Amino acid sequence: MNINSGRPELIFEEKKAIKLFLWLFYILYLIFEGFWYSIFQKLTTSGVTKGSSVGLGFWVYILISTFIPISIYFIKKNNPYIIKYIILFSYILIDIVDNIIRYYGTTKPFASGEVVEVLIVFFTPVFVNKRYFWCASLGIMAKYAFLGIILHNKTAFAPIGIIMILVAIAYVLLIRFNSYINSLTVVYEELRKNEKLAVVGQMAAAIGHEIRNPLSSLKGFTQLQHESYTNASTRS
């Protein structure tokens, strides 16, 4: 987008988007984790679990909770644009390490994936940033491809197909958002241009009025002098 990202109103909108994203991220993450460990694993009879070990264990929650103070720091620094990239790449790195610890060297079926990844992909149009959209989309797909190669597990490649479908839907939304905002920007710029022209017209009218007054006086004085000179010549 050809918009100055340093404008105060855009920084304010980015802050609101980041705050909403964080709320949804943590709510969905905690609900999914709670459902997985407290309900799903007790109901399923397939024996599928999230790996044979605890992975990073409680450290996963500690590391992910650091997104909050980091976000607050950059929001106070008036640099909210970098927050979404920090969250994205940090989450991908944490999840890769956690899954490698869980599955590497085991024969357990790959049963990973988080609902927040759906949020990350579908939330990209809200930021209206194509660079972030491609970073998020390709980053998540690359994560599963990397895990499939490292773990020698074909099951890890399966989520890539689902992510590609979500990316296609999100891309359509992003294009629509971009088109809408670009239209608003054009209208806004035209209004600003018209306002400037109106102000220039008002200034020109005021200046013309101020100049016309002394010119009228000068014209009257000149005519008076001319009549006086004509009368004097006639008498002589």
Side-chain angles (χ1 to χ4, degrees):
M1 293 179 62
N2 297 322
I3 300 176
N4 183 7
S5 61
R7 286 164 54 178
E9 60 270 23
L10 296 181
I11 293 177
F12 177 72
E13 291 299 325
E14 183 76 5
K15 289 179 179 179
K16 289 201 303 184
I18 285 293
K19 291 176 182 178
L20 176 60
F21 176 75
L22 283 172
W23 272 105
L24 293 175
F25 180 91
Y26 284 108
I27 289 173
L28 290 177
Y29 184 81
L30 293 175
I31 290 175
F32 180 77
E33 289 293 304
F35 171 79
W36 183 278
Y37 287 108
S38 64
I39 300 176
F40 182 78
Q41 288 192 22
K42 292 180 180 179
L43 294 178
T44 183
T45 57
S46 62
V48 177
T49 61
K50 277 196 172 185
S52 59
S53 68
V54 294
L56 288 174
F58 195 71
W59 279 102
V60 172
Y61 306 107
I62 294 176
L63 292 173
I64 288 181
S65 67
T66 59
F67 295 165
I68 295 177
I70 291 174
S71 300
I72 293 174
Y73 172 79
F74 283 105
I75 286 175
K76 288 184 177 180
K77 290 291 184 179
N78 260 350
N79 185 18
Y81 301 100
I82 197 175
I83 297 173
K84 54 183 175 286
Y85 291 100
I86 294 175
I87 294 174
L88 171 66
F89 293 119
S90 298
Y91 166 76
I92 290 175
L93 180 61
I94 293 169
D95 199 53
I96 286 176
V97 174
D98 184 55
N99 280 291
I100 288 176
I101 295 174
R102 288 177 185 274
Y103 293 100
Y104 191 76
T106 71
T107 57
K108 292 288 184 179
F110 187 82
S112 186
E114 295 285 348
V115 71
V116 293
E117 293 172 357
V118 178
L119 170 66
I120 291 173
V121 173
F122 269 132
F123 207 87
T124 51
V126 177
F127 290 115
V128 199
N129 187 311
K130 285 187 176 180
R131 182 173 61 180
Y132 175 71
F133 168 81
W134 289 115
C135 285
S137 304
L138 297 177
I140 293 175
M141 287 189 287
K143 184 197 80 169
Y144 286 109
F146 178 77
L147 288 173
I149 295 172
I150 293 296
L151 300 175
H152 304 287
N153 193 328
K154 294 181 180 180
T155 311
F157 292 99
I160 296 178
I162 300 174
I163 296 298
M164 290 178 67
I165 296 173
L166 298 178
V167 166
I169 297 172
Y171 185 74
V172 173
L173 295 175
L174 177 63
I175 294 300
R176 294 296 298 168
F177 275 38
N178 262 317
S179 176
Y180 177 69
I181 290 180
N182 286 334
S183 299
L184 290 179
T185 303
V186 170
V187 172
Y188 175 74
E189 293 298 331
E190 288 180 354
L191 288 174
R192 286 187 61 188
K193 183 178 179 180
N194 292 336
E195 287 178 358
K196 288 180 180 179
L197 291 175
V199 171
V200 170
Q202 292 175 357
M203 291 179 62
I207 293 173
H209 177 72
E210 294 298 326
I211 293 176
R212 189 160 51 251
N213 286 338
L215 286 178
S216 298
S217 301
L218 182 61
K219 180 181 178 181
F221 178 75
T222 303
Q223 289 177 345
L224 181 62
Q225 290 296 321
H226 178 71
E227 291 175 358
S228 299
Y229 178 76
T230 301
N231 294 334
S233 298
T234 302
R235 290 173 186 176
S236 60

